[in-house]
């Protein structure tokens, strides 16, 4: 009986996915696997093939489930437990550790990130053996670190932390699946010392040395951005590409060429095959002594394996290399490999070696793209044969079908993970893939192989390859600049993704039935159950999405959600008529992390928000404006409100460019501005008390905080006061002015600074609920203990984003309720 490997691969994947989430005693799993084996033996005696298949599926599912148990909780490992004890030290106490760099460092955005295999802990009592893995981020170090370097560093060890908002990226799980539960950061050169070089696995060290030589030769041959692009295309180092350029590849749907995958490995195998064939056919004695096809296959396999090592052996590289290797082996043994079986065997091999690879986005995208191509292409072969006499047209049609198929196959996953769908992907792939595959990769890969032997020739080949990067970049920039080049979409629900793929499979089944039937009418009658199932599943997926859209913003409620954006401010206000207002966007001093893209936007996508009626900038400090430029660029925004203050910062310049480019109406507000009704709620401007002079060159000591926009939103018997970063001085003026400050809910001024939240101000407000937005363990100590005490004395219940995560306060105009991302105990109970 021939059993398709896909019948084993799919349950194995399902088992890993479930096992990584649910605990199960190992003995129980083993008993179930043994029971399945006994059932297989019993079925073999009776010769019931269906029972055998069911038992095999059952056994592989639980094998995957057990494999998933190994990646479920790495913190339970003994080595990790001892390191975790060091993270529980009080205050800002630091630890000194030593260890080897266990993987090639990632250099990006002015910092180096290394995975350190710890060997020892150093303290005043000496050096102590210690084991574990630490993800170390190094800034401002003069050293150029490499694999195998032995380091000593002093830093505060921490558990990785998420931004705790619904729909946010689970960074903790991302690192956990890669065996890392401890992170540390070093920003002073004195806190890290390179003790010696040349450690680690000798083979891996030799490969890294070759990669270093190739990197050096690329730098000699060309400059940025071609240098970074060649590094990505040849060495797989896409993290070195500037973020703006990476974004261009993402928006045009060709980001896949930046990862060493099927295109790169396939072209390496193709040109190696052609070269070996050319050599053998040019010397007839070789043809008499060896089988041409087998020698070419063997030579191509060796070439591909060598290139895979140089390219760094990422998940996508391993997958492509395994597929090419299986094809070459089938040629060597004169066997015909079934493409789907080859793909399934590749997936089984990768997941057996590393079950956590199942959760790697590149693995999922690669698997989906190749599976879609292998399912569609055999069905399209009869149509292709009609073009046998028109080779160029056939090549174009085949290329378009492959691109379209892979695009459809990966579209749900791309929207799920990246909230974006490129509308120019067919055109960009048709232009970029041939250019890269036939003009950039051949000389680039050849140069990488020649680097240790003929560096001068390698430099020349890299220069030749870089010539074609100029038109490549022009294509990317042109297509990215089209207003309709890509569409930002909310993340689909998992049920909708499953329904999408189920419908695709049913469409293929329907196609097969129609093609095999004696007539369209008879085929249609036989396919009625398939069509009914297809329509039903599509309706279920669409209905689920419509439900999420409908419930993303509640009707007839006023809600304010203060997001966890670290040490910054960002609040989403939704009105009774589903109007949306975003107040500030958070931001960090380190501009390499875009809070708008990575924190605020995922939450908006989670709420199924694509249009923001009003974006409010209370004042242009980095921790309020930093995330807003991306929001203005990626979402449809109708209006922007601000106090008119300008800032000499890149964030403000980008903010202004986005307003101008998209023609967004910009209103400058102050306390004299007229009140505005929005969804039945009244919005009043309380501060600033004077019009902005709209200037950049401020006098020395100019205080942005003083002029923060303060908004009061009233609906029914409930009112919200959003205070920005006003100081105690402004609070005094607001009290003296007799402004209608009385509010039910308030946003704590200036993140809980001791210079704000005066006792008389809190008494005047008389708020029942207050929410403070602050970063966990921030260097300012916000909210200050004395401020927490003031709110306690005022009888105001205090919630904190650093303890509660995202805090949502909602009302029907009469009753107020509070919900939090983390169990919603008030800060007074958590402090």
């Amino acid at each position: 009986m021939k059993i398709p490997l896909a019948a084993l691969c799919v349950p194995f994947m399902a088992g890993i996915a479930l096992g990584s989430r649910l605990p199960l005693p190992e003995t129980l799993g083993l008993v179930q696997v043994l029971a399945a084996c006994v059932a297989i033996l019993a079925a073999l005696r009776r010769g019931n093939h269906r029972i055998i298949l069911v038992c095999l599926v059952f056994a592989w599912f639980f094998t995957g489930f057990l494999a998933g148990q190994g990646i479920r909780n790495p913190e339970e490992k003994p080595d990790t437990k001892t390191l975790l004890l060091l993270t529980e030290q009080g205050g800002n106490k630091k630890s000194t550790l030593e260890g080897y760099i266990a993987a090639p460092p990632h250099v990006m955005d002015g910092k180096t990130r290394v995975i350190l295999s710890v060997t020892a802990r150093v303290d005043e009592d000496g050096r102590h053996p210690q084991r574990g893995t630490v993800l170390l981020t190094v800034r401002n170090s003069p050293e150029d670190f490499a694999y195998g370097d032995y380091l000593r560093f002093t830093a505060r060890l921490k558990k990785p932390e998420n931004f705790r908002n619904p729909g946010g990226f689970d960074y903790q799980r991302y690192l956990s699946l890669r065996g890392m539960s401890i992170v540390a950061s070093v920003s002073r050169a004195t806190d890290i010392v390179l003790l010696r070089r040349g450690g680690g696995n000798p083979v891996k060290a030799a490969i890294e040395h070759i990669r270093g030589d190739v990197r050096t030769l690329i730098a000699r041959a060309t400059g940025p951005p071609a240098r970074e692009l060649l590094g990505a295309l040849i060495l797989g180092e896409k993290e070195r590409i500037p973020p703006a350029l990476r974004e261009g590849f993402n928006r045009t749907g060709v980001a896949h060429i930046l990862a060493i995958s099927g295109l790169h490995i396939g072209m390496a195998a193709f040109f190696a095959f052609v070269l070996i064939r050319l050599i053998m056919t040019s010397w007839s004695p070789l043809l008499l002594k060896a089988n041409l096809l087998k020698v070419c296959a063997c030579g191509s396999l060796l070439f591909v394996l060598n290139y895979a090592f140089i390219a760094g052996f990422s998940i996508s590289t391993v997958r492509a290399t395994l597929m090419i290797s299986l094809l070459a082996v089938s040629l060597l043994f004169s066997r015909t490999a079934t493409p789907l079986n080859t793909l399934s065997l590749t997936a089984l091999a990768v997941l057996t070696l590393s079950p956590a690879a199942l959760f790697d986005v590149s693995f999922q995208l690669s698997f989906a793209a190749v599976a879609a191509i292998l399912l569609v292409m055999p069905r399209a072969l009869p149509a292709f044969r009609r073009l046998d006499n028109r080779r160029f047209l056939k090549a174009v049609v085949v290329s378009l079908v492959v691109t379209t198929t892979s695009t459809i196959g990966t579209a749900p996953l791309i929207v799920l993970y990246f909230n974006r769908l490129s509308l120019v992907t067919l055109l960009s792939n048709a232009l970029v893939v041939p250019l890269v595959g036939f003009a950039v990769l051949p000389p680039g890969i050849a140069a990488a192989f020649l680097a240790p032997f003929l560096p001068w020739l390698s430099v020349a080949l890299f220069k030749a390859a870089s010539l074609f990067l100029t038109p490549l970049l022009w294509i990317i920039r042109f297509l990215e600049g089209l207003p309709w080049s890509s569409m930002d979409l909310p993340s689909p629900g998992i049920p909708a993704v499953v329904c999408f793929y189920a419908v695709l499979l049913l469409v293929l089944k329907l196609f097969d039935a129609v093609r095999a039937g004696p007539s369209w009418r008879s085929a249609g009658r036989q396919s009625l159950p398939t069509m009914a199932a297809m329509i039903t599943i599509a309706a279920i997926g669409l209905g689920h999405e419509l439900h999420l859209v409908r419930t993303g913003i509640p009707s007839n409620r006023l809600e304010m959600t203060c997001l966890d954006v670290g040490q910054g401010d960002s609040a989403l206000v939704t009105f009774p008529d589903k109007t949306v207002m975003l107040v500030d966007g958070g931001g960090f001093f380190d501009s390499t992390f875009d809070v708008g893209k990575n924190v605020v936007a995922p939450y908006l996508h989670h709420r199924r928000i694509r249009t923001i009626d009003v974006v409010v900038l209370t004042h242009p400090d980095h921790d309020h404006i930093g995330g807003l430029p991306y929001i203005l660029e990626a979402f449809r925004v109708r209006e922007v409100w601000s106090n008119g203050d300008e800032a000499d910062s890149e964030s403000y310049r980008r903010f202004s460019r986005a307003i101008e480019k998209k023609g967004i109406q910009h209103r400058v507000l102050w306390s004299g501005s007229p009140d505005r009704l929005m969804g039945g709620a009244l919005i009043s401007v309380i501060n600033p008390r004077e019009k902005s002079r709209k200037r950049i060159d401020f006098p020395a000591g100019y205080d942005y905080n003083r002029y923060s926009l303060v908004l009061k939103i009233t609906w029914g018997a409930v009112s919200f006061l959003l205070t920005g970063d006003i100081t105690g001085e402004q609070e005094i003026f607001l009290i003296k002015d007799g402004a209608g400050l009385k509010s039910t809910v308030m946003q704590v001024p200036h993140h809980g600074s001791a210079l704000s939240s005066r006792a008389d101000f809190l008494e005047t407000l008389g708020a029942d609920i207050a929410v403070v937005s602050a970063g966990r363990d921030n260097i300012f100590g916000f909210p200050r203990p004395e401020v927490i005490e003031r709110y306690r004395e005022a009888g105001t219940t205090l919630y904190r984003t650093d303890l509660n995560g995202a805090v949502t306060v909602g009302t029907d105009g009469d009753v107020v309720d509070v919900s939090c991302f983390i169990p919603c105990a008030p800060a007074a109970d958590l402090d």
Side-chain angles (χ1 to χ4, degrees):
M1 179 184 66
K2 291 185 178 180
I3 299 176
L5 288 177
L8 306 180
C9 182
V10 173
F12 186 61
M13 290 178 173
I16 293 174
L18 194 62
S20 68
R21 292 287 186 179
L22 297 179
L24 183 71
E26 186 174 346
T27 52
L28 179 59
L30 290 174
V31 168
Q32 290 169 318
V33 172
L34 289 174
C37 294
V38 171
I40 291 172
L41 293 175
L44 285 172
R45 292 189 63 183
R46 296 185 179 183
N48 192 324
H49 293 169
R50 290 185 178 178
I51 294 178
I52 294 174
L53 180 58
V54 170
C55 292
L56 281 173
V57 168
F58 186 80
W60 273 95
F61 173 80
F62 277 102
T63 302
F65 194 97
L66 292 177
Q69 293 293 295
I71 60 176
R72 192 175 64 83
N73 192 3
E75 293 186 3
E76 295 177 356
K77 297 178 181 178
D79 291 344
T80 303
K81 283 183 177 179
T82 57
L83 271 181
L84 285 172
L85 291 175
L86 297 177
T87 68
E88 297 171 2
Q89 301 174 133
N92 292 314
K93 189 172 181 181
K94 297 182 177 181
S95 300
T96 300
L97 301 177
E98 293 180 359
Y100 288 97
I101 296 180
H106 281 183
V107 179
M108 53 183 178
D109 302 330
K111 58 189 176 185
T112 302
R113 189 166 285 172
V114 299
I115 299 174
L116 206 70
S117 179
V118 177
T119 59
R121 173 173 52 87
V122 181
D123 58 23
E124 60 273 9
D125 297 325
R127 193 169 175 273
H128 313 281
Q130 178 72 61
R131 293 290 182 270
T133 304
V134 174
L135 179 62
L136 179 64
T137 301
V138 183
R139 296 179 177 85
N140 306 320
S141 174
E143 297 289 350
D144 186 14
F145 298 111
Y147 167 79
D149 288 351
Y150 191 73
L151 310 177
R152 175 186 292 170
F153 73 93
T154 301
R156 182 187 172 195
L157 303 182
K158 300 187 295 183
K159 295 181 182 179
E161 296 178 339
N162 293 332
F163 290 95
R164 294 171 292 184
N165 305 301
F169 176 60
D170 194 342
Y171 185 58
Q172 288 176 325
R173 179 168 171 78
Y174 172 82
L175 292 182
S176 174
L177 292 171
R178 287 153 180 79
M180 291 174 281
S181 300
I182 310 292
V183 297
S185 179
V186 173
S187 57
R188 297 187 305 176
T190 55
D191 285 337
I192 187 166
V193 179
L194 175 61
L195 298 179
R196 58 180 179 272
R197 294 189 183 273
N201 183 287
V203 175
K204 194 171 182 179
I207 293 171
E208 286 304 313
H209 179 72
I210 295 173
R211 284 170 56 84
D213 289 343
V214 172
R215 194 180 301 114
T216 301
L217 293 176
I218 290 175
R220 282 174 52 189
T222 186
R227 178 183 62 200
E228 288 75 20
L229 272 177
L230 275 179
L233 294 171
I234 307 302
L235 297 174
E237 297 178 336
K238 62 180 180 180
E239 66 276 357
R240 294 175 183 259
I241 298 177
L245 185 55
R246 281 205 306 268
E247 186 70 10
F249 279 83
N250 290 333
R251 287 189 175 276
T252 52
V254 290
H256 61 91
I257 70 169
L258 300 178
I260 307 295
S261 56
L263 172 66
H264 307 69
I265 301 297
M267 294 307 297
F270 172 74
F271 282 106
F273 191 97
V274 169
L275 181 61
I276 296 171
R277 180 185 175 88
L278 182 63
I279 293 173
M280 290 193 66
T281 53
S282 64
W283 193 15
S284 55
L286 287 176
L287 294 176
L288 299 175
K289 295 181 180 180
N291 182 291
L292 175 63
L293 189 61
K294 292 185 177 182
V295 170
C296 292
C298 186
S300 300
L301 177 58
L302 293 175
F303 186 86
V304 163
L305 289 173
N306 276 282
Y307 175 58
F309 279 110
I310 293 176
F313 244 90
S314 64
I315 292 294
S316 58
T317 306
V318 170
R319 190 265 309 162
T321 303
L322 280 173
M323 290 197 69
I324 294 293
S325 300
L326 290 172
L327 178 61
V329 170
S330 68
L331 291 175
L332 288 174
F333 291 95
S334 302
R335 299 274 184 175
T336 303
T338 304
L340 276 175
N341 273 350
T342 302
L343 175 64
S344 300
L345 184 59
T346 301
L348 285 171
V350 171
L351 295 176
T352 300
L353 294 172
S354 175
L358 177 65
F359 305 100
D360 189 277
V361 177
S362 64
F363 174 85
Q364 295 178 20
L365 290 174
S366 298
F367 190 87
V370 177
I373 292 170
L374 295 181
L375 286 170
V376 171
M377 291 304 287
R379 293 171 169 84
L381 285 178
F384 295 154
R385 292 194 184 103
R386 298 175 186 175
L387 300 174
D388 284 344
N389 296 328
R390 306 170 72 178
R391 293 186 177 181
F392 178 76
L393 180 60
K394 181 179 180 180
V396 172
V397 171
V398 170
S399 176
L400 286 175
V401 171
V402 169
T403 303
T404 304
T405 302
S406 61
T407 299
I408 294 173
T410 57
L413 295 177
I414 290 175
V415 177
L416 176 66
Y417 290 116
F418 305 110
N419 301 113
R420 178 175 295 135
L421 188 64
S422 175
L423 303 180
V424 296
T425 184
L426 296 181
L427 178 59
S428 59
N429 276 276
L431 296 174
V432 169
V433 170
L435 186 62
V436 171
F438 292 97
V440 178
L441 289 181
I445 294 173
F449 273 95
L450 293 172
F453 315 107
L454 299 169
W456 60 271
L457 181 56
S458 181
V459 169
L461 289 171
F462 280 134
K463 286 184 177 180
S466 68
L467 293 177
F468 296 96
L469 294 179
T470 300
L472 170 67
L473 289 172
W474 185 88
I475 292 170
I476 296 296
R477 287 166 181 156
F478 173 76
L479 293 178
E480 181 193 12
L482 297 175
W484 44 268
S485 63
S486 65
M487 180 186 300
D488 291 277
L489 297 170
S491 300
I494 297 299
V497 174
V498 173
C499 289
F500 181 90
Y501 285 117
V503 168
L504 284 186
L505 292 174
L506 290 174
V507 167
L508 294 177
K509 183 179 179 180
L510 188 63
F511 176 82
D512 291 340
V514 171
R515 189 177 59 177
S519 67
W520 285 89
R521 181 174 297 176
S522 62
R525 284 196 300 268
Q526 295 175 4
S527 302
L528 283 177
T530 302
M531 288 189 285
M534 186 171 63
I535 294 171
T536 302
I537 293 172
I540 291 171
L542 182 60
H544 181 263
E545 284 304 297
L546 291 175
H547 170 73
L548 293 177
V549 171
R550 187 174 61 255
T551 58
I553 304 174
S555 299
N556 300 317
R557 274 178 65 83
L558 177 65
E559 284 189 352
M560 178 183 72
T561 300
C562 295
L563 298 178
D564 175 14
V565 291
Q567 187 56 34
D569 254 319
S570 184
L572 181 75
V573 182
T574 58
F575 291 83
D577 65 345
K578 297 196 173 188
T579 301
V580 175
M581 172 189 286
L582 179 68
V583 182
D584 292 329
F588 291 127
F589 284 105
D590 183 0
S591 60
T592 58
F593 182 82
D594 192 328
V595 175
K597 178 180 180 180
N598 298 300
V599 181
V600 180
Y603 176 74
L604 297 176
H605 289 309
H606 173 76
R607 296 285 300 270
R608 299 309 193 267
I609 293 172
R610 294 184 59 192
T611 299
I612 304 173
D613 296 279
V614 178
V615 167
V616 178
L617 173 62
T618 59
H619 62 295
D621 274 349
H622 65 275
D623 56 336
H624 290 252
I625 194 176
L628 290 184
Y630 178 84
I631 299 300
L632 295 179
E633 294 163 357
F635 289 79
R636 182 185 176 192
V637 177
R638 291 196 170 101
E639 290 185 27
V640 169
W641 297 355
S642 77
N643 65 357
D645 278 357
E646 300 176 349
D648 187 15
S649 67
E650 179 55 32
S651 293
Y652 187 84
R653 285 188 286 271
R654 188 178 160 198
F655 174 81
S656 299
R657 285 197 301 267
I659 292 173
E660 182 179 356
K661 181 179 179 180
K662 298 185 71 173
I664 302 170
Q665 186 173 10
H666 185 183
R667 297 180 184 273
V668 176
L669 305 179
W670 63 296
S671 60
S673 300
D675 295 345
R676 180 162 178 174
L677 275 174
M678 191 171 288
L682 184 68
I683 304 174
S684 305
V685 182
I686 307 297
N687 195 68
R689 297 177 303 111
E690 59 185 65
K691 290 183 179 180
S692 169
R693 287 174 288 169
K694 206 171 184 179
R695 59 204 178 279
I696 294 179
D697 297 324
F698 294 107
Y702 182 83
D703 186 4
Y704 285 114
N705 295 336
R706 177 182 177 186
Y707 297 97
S708 289
L709 271 180
V710 177
L711 303 178
K712 183 178 180 180
I713 305 173
T714 305
W715 189 49
V718 179
S719 55
F720 292 74
L721 189 70
L722 289 81
T723 58
D725 277 359
I726 58 170
T727 62
E729 180 185 359
Q730 294 308 112
E731 293 174 353
I732 293 172
F733 282 123
L734 294 179
I735 295 171
K736 288 180 178 179
D737 282 356
L741 294 179
K742 184 73 174 176
S743 301
T744 316
V745 182
M746 68 173 294
Q747 189 184 36
V748 174
H750 203 191
H751 320 287
S753 162
L755 300 178
S756 301
S757 299
R758 292 171 53 92
D760 51 352
F761 181 68
L762 300 185
E763 183 180 354
T764 303
L765 260 65
D768 298 322
I769 295 169
V771 184
V772 58
S773 182
R776 275 161 287 173
D777 302 322
N778 62 84
I779 60 174
F780 309 105
F782 294 163
R784 300 294 300 174
E786 58 268 36
V787 172
I788 296 174
E789 182 60 29
R790 290 176 201 165
Y791 281 92
R792 183 180 287 116
E793 292 176 353
T796 302
T797 303
L798 182 65
Y799 295 88
R800 296 166 49 173
T801 61
D802 59 332
L803 300 180
N804 301 116
V807 178
T808 299
V809 185
T811 180
D812 59 1
D814 185 22
V815 179
V816 177
D817 55 74
V818 182
S819 62
C820 308
F821 186 75
I822 293 174
C824 214
D829 297 334
L830 292 170
D831 189 42

